[in-house]
Amino acid sequence: QVQLVESGGGLVQPGGSLRLSCTASGSIFTIHAMGWYRQAPGKQRELVTTLTGADSTNHIDSVKGRFTASRGNAKNTVYLQMNMLKPEDTAVYYCNAEVGYNDAHVIGDYWGPGTQVTVSS
């Protein structure tokens, strides 16, 4: 069974950086197209950044130039590099991805449980 797990969240000061990871359980899996979402307290979940192939696209104006999604050397891992973090970036960050056994096969669409990012001095 496929499981996605995010990691790398934590407490960081404004202006700092974090790199989130999203890993599909088991090295036999390949992450295809994916998106990073976030949900702040009292707000709806929103799409932050998508990764299609090697192309990272930000969907929120406030993160453009600061956030970049990328693929790891292992096909079951993707990253979200977040620089110049601001207090308004505080949220639970979720990974949503299409996962397959190889580059041409998709098993399904999965969500991770989320990782907390807190930006505060």
Side-chain angles (χ1 to χ4, degrees):
Q1 183 175 355
V2 178
Q3 290 184 330
L4 289 180
V5 179
E6 304 93 340
S7 62
L11 173 64
V12 63
Q13 291 186 342
S17 298
L18 284 174
R19 188 177 77 160
L20 305 183
S21 300
C22 172
T23 301
S25 57
S27 59
I28 62 172
F29 296 120
T30 295
I31 292 178
H32 296 265
M34 64 83 57
W36 285 98
Y37 291 75
R38 69 186 184 187
Q39 186 166 18
K43 295 187 177 181
Q44 290 188 330
R45 189 174 299 188
E46 60 182 354
L47 175 62
V48 180
T49 306
T50 54
L51 183 64
T52 303
D55 295 329
S56 174
T57 302
N58 290 320
H59 296 265
I60 299 176
D61 286 343
S62 65
V63 308
K64 290 180 180 178
R66 300 189 297 122
F67 289 12
T68 304
S70 63
R71 297 190 181 275
N73 291 329
K75 292 186 175 183
N76 67 332
T77 301
V78 293
Y79 301 103
L80 180 66
Q81 179 67 43
M82 305 186 295
N83 298 326
M84 299 178 63
L85 283 161
K86 304 176 181 180
E88 51 263 42
D89 295 319
T90 295
V92 178
Y93 284 72
Y94 298 90
C95 170
N96 170 237
E98 294 179 337
V99 179
Y101 289 117
N102 52 51
D103 291 344
H105 179 264
V106 175
I107 301 170
D109 185 88
Y110 299 88
W111 286 88
T115 185
Q116 176 70 47
V117 172
T118 302
V119 185
S120 175
S121 55

